[in-house]
Amino acid sequence: MSVTDKIAARLPRVMDRGERPPVVAAVRLHGVITPQSSPVARNTISLQNVETAINRAFDNERLIAVALLINSPGGAPTQSALIAERIRELATKKHVPVLAFCEDVAASGGYWLACAADEIYAHGTSLVGSIGVVSAGFGLNGLLDKAGVERRVYTAGENKVRLDPFQAEKPEDVEWLKGLHADLHEQFKAWVTERRGGKLKAEEDLFSGEIWTGTKAQQLGLVDGIGTLRSVLAKRFPDAELTVAEPRKPLLAKLGLTGASTRSGDLVTQVLASLEERARWSRFGL
């Protein structure tokens, strides 16, 4: 052995790039899915506020898989679809598998997000499913009457103010909304069928809007297995390093301060949005 070899043998061994551990990147998708964030609401999910985290998760040269940590009662279908499509686009580009982990609840739009993964896991107590469409609002016309306030709206187009919360509900508007729901429901069913394929069981009507525990969801083919992020990764990728990409929030949003929140008209909207967000979680006892 040469002098150079002897000196090199005594030096601490430096791990080269090829020996660095592989990476599994996790993305947190927690909250109600909505195109508009609210300073008085809890965490919300939209393409705008999670895309940076998703991009960071897929942008790693040692990446071998991406994990989605989902805790959502659902929300806006378009935002659900946009986020899911972005995840599939990057998964195809990077040639890596995506694993979804349902936490407390992955319902409605939350399950739409889970279906962006190649494999879905849940805890036995998780609430999974709710493959349906719902919309809700408030009828405030009686409130205006009691306050002695007359609202004046001027439009071009007879359907511009359908289901205006400050006007009395019309049966024909409700029928129109039901037709819209049916169209969105068909798209939701098509997405789940496309992503889950032959894994789905026909024991029950999976598209009735019903929700199941993680244990039952596995039996129905809605999830692939029972397990947590740590337990599954320990078996599948025991040598991998786990990194978590958190969606970034603007400083004012972290403090619950925005310009819109100081205006009385917007404040009413924010409060109503907060009540609706609270109602979505309450449906699942959360």
Side-chain angles (χ1 to χ4, degrees):
M1 179 181 292
S2 66
V3 174
T4 302
D5 291 336
K6 290 181 179 180
I7 294 176
R10 292 177 177 272
L11 292 175
R13 190 168 180 271
V14 180
M15 185 179 294
D16 62 29
R17 293 180 64 86
E19 294 176 319
R20 296 172 67 189
V23 167
V24 174
V27 181
R28 293 193 185 279
L29 300 175
H30 286 199
V32 171
I33 304 167
T34 173
Q36 296 180 337
S37 60
S38 168
V40 295
R42 293 194 285 181
N43 293 337
T44 57
I45 302 172
S46 69
L47 181 62
Q48 181 180 10
N49 65 21
V50 302
E51 185 172 21
T52 300
I54 292 172
N55 291 342
R56 288 203 312 271
F58 280 94
D59 188 23
N60 191 303
E61 62 183 10
R62 295 180 284 130
L63 188 70
I64 57 171
V66 169
L68 307 176
L69 307 179
I70 299 173
N71 199 3
S72 173
T78 301
Q79 290 299 315
S80 303
L82 289 173
I83 296 168
E85 289 169 8
R86 180 57 178 158
I87 292 170
R88 291 313 314 158
E89 177 186 353
L90 290 172
T92 301
K93 180 179 179 180
K94 297 292 186 176
H95 304 289
V96 294
V98 178
L99 285 65
F101 294 89
C102 307
E103 298 186 345
D104 297 282
V105 58
S108 196
Y111 186 67
W112 191 310
L113 296 179
C115 286
D118 301 293
E119 301 173 25
I120 304 176
Y121 295 90
H123 191 274
T125 62
S126 301
L127 299 179
V128 180
S130 190
I131 304 171
V133 181
V134 61
S135 60
F138 299 89
L140 303 176
N141 54 306
L143 179 62
L144 293 184
D145 292 339
K146 290 181 179 180
V149 177
E150 179 185 357
R151 186 164 186 257
R152 297 170 181 173
V153 180
Y154 308 98
T155 68
E158 61 184 14
N159 296 322
K160 281 297 287 185
V161 289
R162 272 178 168 161
L163 299 174
D164 186 323
F166 294 99
Q167 296 184 8
E169 187 176 71
K170 298 178 181 178
E172 58 268 28
D173 290 349
V174 175
E175 287 304 310
W176 166 82
L177 182 61
K178 289 181 179 180
L180 188 64
H181 283 181
D183 187 0
L184 291 172
H185 195 197
E186 288 300 320
Q187 295 185 49
F188 196 171
K189 291 191 290 185
W191 169 248
V192 173
T193 302
E194 174 191 340
R195 295 300 302 157
R196 299 300 297 168
K199 297 178 180 179
L200 298 175
K201 305 297 189 299
E203 301 173 17
E204 300 186 41
D205 183 359
L206 301 181
F207 305 128
S208 66
E210 186 60 88
I211 194 161
W212 296 276
T213 65
T215 301
K216 182 64 175 179
Q218 182 186 22
Q219 297 171 8
L220 296 174
L222 294 172
V223 305
D224 295 286
I226 301 300
T228 63
L229 173 70
R230 299 287 180 180
S231 65
V232 172
L233 295 190
K235 294 178 181 178
R236 294 285 300 280
F237 310 105
D239 300 323
E241 171 187 329
L242 177 65
T243 65
V244 180
E246 297 276 3
R248 294 175 179 172
K249 294 182 180 180
L251 178 59
L252 290 181
K254 292 179 180 179
L255 298 175
L257 301 173
T258 66
S261 66
T262 63
R263 297 192 294 269
S264 59
D266 288 327
L267 181 59
V268 173
T269 302
Q270 296 285 3
V271 171
L272 292 177
S274 179
L275 291 173
E276 179 61 29
E277 185 253 6
R278 179 64 259 168
R280 288 185 180 274
W281 286 105
S282 297
R283 288 178 57 224
F284 307 105
L286 300 173

